[in-house]
């Protein structure tokens, strides 16, 4: 089983430590593409209109300024850098040592800057969304799509993929549909369902934690994932096809 996560919008910068060790990153075949994005990001972030070009507000000025020196910024494991609703719900720090090892092996983060990294990869904090377009790179989802298809093909072969990404990050890579289960979250009141957004992030984080912390073998099929999810939530599985992933619908009380 592999769990696909988006990065968090907010990130917690490392206070100290060495800069990113490029050869040590997972999927090193992506490094030339990572360098291209990082250089383009640094150029845009140094522009007088950087905030507008990156689509962020004035409160993120320091984050954008940090983008100009990412080659030298301290790096830390991705599970420390990424923060926010989903990652708080996953709660890496409170997992046991064996559960953390499982998380380091099982979690893939699809990133606008790094393409794809594992939880234990050391990276600096940065500010960049997959929906952004950069000079000489273009829209990042389109840029990464062929690169991730090549780089991740071997890593995901034979694994059940639990896809907890948002639509913005899902656009950057379409994993094999037959082995992928997307995760949707609804509330239901009097038989009427509504899609939720904020609580979807929280619930996806809780699901990731549940799958990492529960006893027994990790799910190896959509049906086993449904059974594991029902240990904690009301859930249903919508069967996919050769071209459309399966969907796990988690239903929260309204």
């Amino acid at each position: 089983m592999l769990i696909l996560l988006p990065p968090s919008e907010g990130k917690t910068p490392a206070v100290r430590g060495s800069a990113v060790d490029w050869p040590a990153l997972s999927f090193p075949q992506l490094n030339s593409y990572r360098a291209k994005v990082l250089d383009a990001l640094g150029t845009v972030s140094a522009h007088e209109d950087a905030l507008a070009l990156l689509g962020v507000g004035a409160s993120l000025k320091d984050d954008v300024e940090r983008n100009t020196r990412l080659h030298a910024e301290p790096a830390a494991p991705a599970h420390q850098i990424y923060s926010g609703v989903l990652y708080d719900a996953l709660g890496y720090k409170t997992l046991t040592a064996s559960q953390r090892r499982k998380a380091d092996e099982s979690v893939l983060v699809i990133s606008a800057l790094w393409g794809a990294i594992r939880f234990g990869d050391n990276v600096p904090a940065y500010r960049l969304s997959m929906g952004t377009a950069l000079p000489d790179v273009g829209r990042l989802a389109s840029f990464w799509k062929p690169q991730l298809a090549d780089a991740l093909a071997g890593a995901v072969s034979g694994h059940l993929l639990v896809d907890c990404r948002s639509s913005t990050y899902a656009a950057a890579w379409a994993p094999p549909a037959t082995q992928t289960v997307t995760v949707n979250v609804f509330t239901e009141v009097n038989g009427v369902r509504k899609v939720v957004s904020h609580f979807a992030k929280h619930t996806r984080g809780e699901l990731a934690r549940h799958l990492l912390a529960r006893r027994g073998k990790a799910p190896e099929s959509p049906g086993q994932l449904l059974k594991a999810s029902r240990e904690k939530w009301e859930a249903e599985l919508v069967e996919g096809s050769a071209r459309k992933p399966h969907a796990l619908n988690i239903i929260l009380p309204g």
Side-chain angles (χ1 to χ4, degrees):
M1 175 194 69
L2 294 174
I3 302 172
L4 309 180
L5 298 182
S8 58
E9 291 185 12
K11 299 172 182 70
T12 303
V15 176
R16 62 182 64 86
S18 302
V20 60
D21 180 358
W22 292 76
L25 294 175
S26 299
F27 315 111
Q29 63 269 47
L30 294 175
N31 278 349
S32 62
Y33 304 103
R34 291 163 171 160
K36 184 173 183 177
V37 175
L38 188 146
D39 289 345
L41 176 61
T43 299
V44 167
S45 299
H47 196 278
E48 61 181 7
D49 294 329
L51 298 180
L53 293 171
L54 293 174
V56 299
S59 64
L60 299 176
K61 181 180 178 180
D62 289 346
D63 289 3
V64 172
E65 195 275 332
R66 188 185 301 111
N67 285 344
T68 65
R69 55 177 193 272
L70 291 179
H71 281 292
E73 277 292 293
H79 58 74
Q80 293 182 24
I81 296 295
Y82 294 125
S83 52
V85 174
L86 187 154
Y87 288 88
D88 286 347
L90 190 154
Y92 182 94
K93 289 182 179 180
T94 59
L95 294 172
T96 67
S98 63
Q99 291 164 356
R100 291 180 190 179
R101 287 193 294 270
K102 187 176 181 180
D104 292 346
E105 296 170 356
S106 303
V107 173
L108 293 182
V109 180
I110 305 303
S111 161
L113 177 55
W114 307 107
I117 54 175
R118 295 187 185 274
F119 248 12
D121 286 335
N122 287 344
V123 294
Y126 60 94
R127 173 61 62 164
L128 182 63
S129 169
M130 190 66 83
T132 303
L134 295 176
D136 300 322
V137 173
R139 193 154 297 278
L140 288 164
S142 300
F143 174 82
W144 281 118
K145 197 165 189 177
Q147 320 311 336
L148 294 178
D150 289 341
L152 299 180
V156 305
S157 179
H159 291 282
L160 174 69
L161 305 177
V162 184
D163 194 349
C164 295
R165 296 175 296 168
S166 61
S167 58
T168 302
Y169 287 87
W173 175 54
T178 56
Q179 64 194 77
T180 302
V181 183
T182 60
V183 179
N184 305 312
V185 183
F186 301 90
T187 57
E188 184 171 292
V189 180
N190 297 326
V192 177
R193 288 187 185 177
K194 293 183 179 180
V195 177
V196 297
S197 54
H198 177 81
F199 284 110
K201 292 181 181 181
H202 181 82
T203 303
R204 286 170 180 149
E206 286 188 322
L207 174 64
R209 180 184 180 87
H210 178 62
L211 295 174
L212 295 169
R214 64 188 293 274
R215 294 184 177 182
K217 292 182 62 177
E220 297 178 348
S221 69
Q224 291 178 11
L225 175 62
L226 175 64
K227 184 176 180 180
S229 302
R230 284 178 169 171
E231 294 167 356
K232 189 165 183 177
W233 298 277
E234 179 183 350
E236 64 185 22
L237 184 70
V238 179
E239 296 290 337
S241 65
R243 300 182 65 179
K244 184 178 181 180
H246 308 273
L248 176 71
N249 294 337
I250 295 177
I251 301 98
L252 305 178

